[in-house]
Amino acid sequence: MSSSILTLEQLGKQFPSQPDTWLFSGISAEILSPEITLIMGKSGQGKSTLLRLLGFLDTPDHGTIRHLGKTPAEWSAEKWRMSVSYVAQHPVMLPGTVEENLQTVSRLHKRPFESDTAHQWMEAVGLGDLDWSKPAAQLSGGEKQRVALVRTLLLRPSVLLLDEVTASLDAISKRATEELLLDLHRRFGTTLLWITHDWEQARSVGQRVWFLAGGRLLEDSPAALFFHAPQTPEAREFLILHRDQKEDAPCHP
């Protein structure tokens, strides 16, 4: 019997400055097969912290995470992060050029640089004309975001932890990035855990939703069920608020 891709068992994280206060606790969930899971909830619910725990970039104060049946203690940090890879909302460019940033994986893990694949993915996210000799620090925010994503994709992770990775992109670049991620999911079975506050994006890409409120995982359900028939008052309030915000948004010709 195959092990689950990710298992969360009673996961909890305290506020660093308030050790007796929990940001969230008691989070249990399981991903058994490749899917696109949205992590949703109001700001301040610990969504980014949860992704960082799953990416082995922080440690829980309670509970256990398993990837393919093994806890982080049974993996090296390097191997875990190669397989379960976090892409931050505000990416950090390493010193050097765009090309040197893209080559980070090959340097660190002593394997050939997949130049053709890197060019293909850069083209896919709308950066086909970007000068690879340009210092990465001089890129715009949206360019940095997409370079960082491609840099992470070159790890070939089985799980991608996406923290609002299209938030700084224009509509065309956002859609191109979504299409690349969906293609990787379809072709390679990449599991995506995706934080987004983009209502249209959530409705179009999500297969499953984890909804956080009040420091708990209140809903874990198919996306269609969550958006059309949420099971908790907190989720219904959240969805009504977002619908109202969408209706009140100004129209642009």
Side-chain angles (χ1 to χ4, degrees):
M1 182 177 179
S2 61
S3 300
S4 62
I5 295 171
L6 276 176
T7 305
L8 289 62
E9 301 170 355
Q10 296 297 311
L11 207 61
K13 185 66 179 176
Q14 296 171 320
F15 285 99
S17 59
Q18 305 173 52
D20 295 327
T21 305
W22 293 86
L23 175 60
F24 54 75
S25 62
I27 293 184
S28 294
E30 189 170 27
I31 297 177
L32 294 170
S33 60
E35 62 184 4
I36 302 174
T37 298
L38 305 176
I39 302 178
M40 304 191 75
K42 296 179 181 178
S43 297
Q45 295 301 313
K47 300 184 296 295
S48 295
T49 298
L50 177 59
L51 281 194
R52 289 181 59 80
L53 294 181
L54 297 180
F56 207 173
L57 298 170
D58 199 352
T59 54
D61 294 308
H62 188 270
T64 304
I65 305 165
R66 299 182 190 276
H67 174 43
L68 303 179
K70 298 179 181 180
T71 67
E74 298 173 270
W75 294 69
S76 69
E78 175 185 304
K79 293 292 186 183
W80 182 288
R81 291 169 188 157
M82 286 179 66
S83 188
V84 185
S85 301
Y86 175 73
V87 186
Q89 180 181 1
H90 303 292
V92 174
M93 291 289 99
L94 301 172
T97 65
V98 170
E99 183 170 14
E100 287 169 333
N101 268 264
L102 294 173
Q103 291 175 341
T104 300
V105 169
S106 62
R107 288 200 309 273
L108 289 178
H109 303 292
K110 297 180 174 60
R111 62 195 202 193
F113 175 52
E114 297 183 67
S115 178
D116 290 346
T117 300
H119 275 97
Q120 176 187 338
W121 287 343
M122 290 285 279
E123 179 78 31
V125 297
L127 295 178
D129 295 329
L130 186 65
D131 180 3
W132 283 26
S133 66
K134 185 175 183 177
Q138 295 179 10
L139 299 178
S140 69
E143 289 170 338
K144 288 177 180 178
Q145 184 65 76
R146 286 172 284 168
V147 169
L149 176 62
V150 172
R151 184 177 65 192
T152 300
L153 293 179
L154 290 168
L155 285 167
R156 302 283 186 165
S158 63
V159 180
L160 266 174
L161 309 172
L162 305 170
D163 195 347
E164 297 198 67
V165 295
T166 61
S168 62
L169 304 184
D170 60 70
I172 294 174
S173 299
K174 182 187 78 168
R175 189 59 193 157
T177 301
E178 289 173 0
E179 286 296 332
L180 174 60
L181 292 169
L182 293 174
D183 182 60
L184 294 174
H185 169 71
R186 287 189 295 263
R187 288 200 295 143
F188 302 118
T190 307
T191 292
L192 309 179
L193 278 83
W194 196 329
I195 296 174
T196 181
H197 291 283
D198 184 320
W199 183 258
E200 295 301 329
Q201 182 178 75
R203 295 291 294 267
S204 65
V205 306
Q207 298 171 351
R208 179 177 176 184
V209 172
W210 291 354
F211 174 69
L212 276 66
R216 298 281 178 174
L217 177 61
L218 290 190
E219 301 210 19
D220 175 2
S221 63
L225 177 62
F226 177 81
F227 288 116
H228 293 291
Q231 302 299 297
T232 61
E234 292 87 349
R236 288 193 288 272
E237 178 188 354
F238 174 78
L239 293 177
I240 290 170
L241 176 63
H242 277 262
R243 287 179 187 136
D244 289 345
Q245 289 176 343
K246 183 174 182 294
E247 290 172 358
D248 290 341
C251 296
H252 298 285

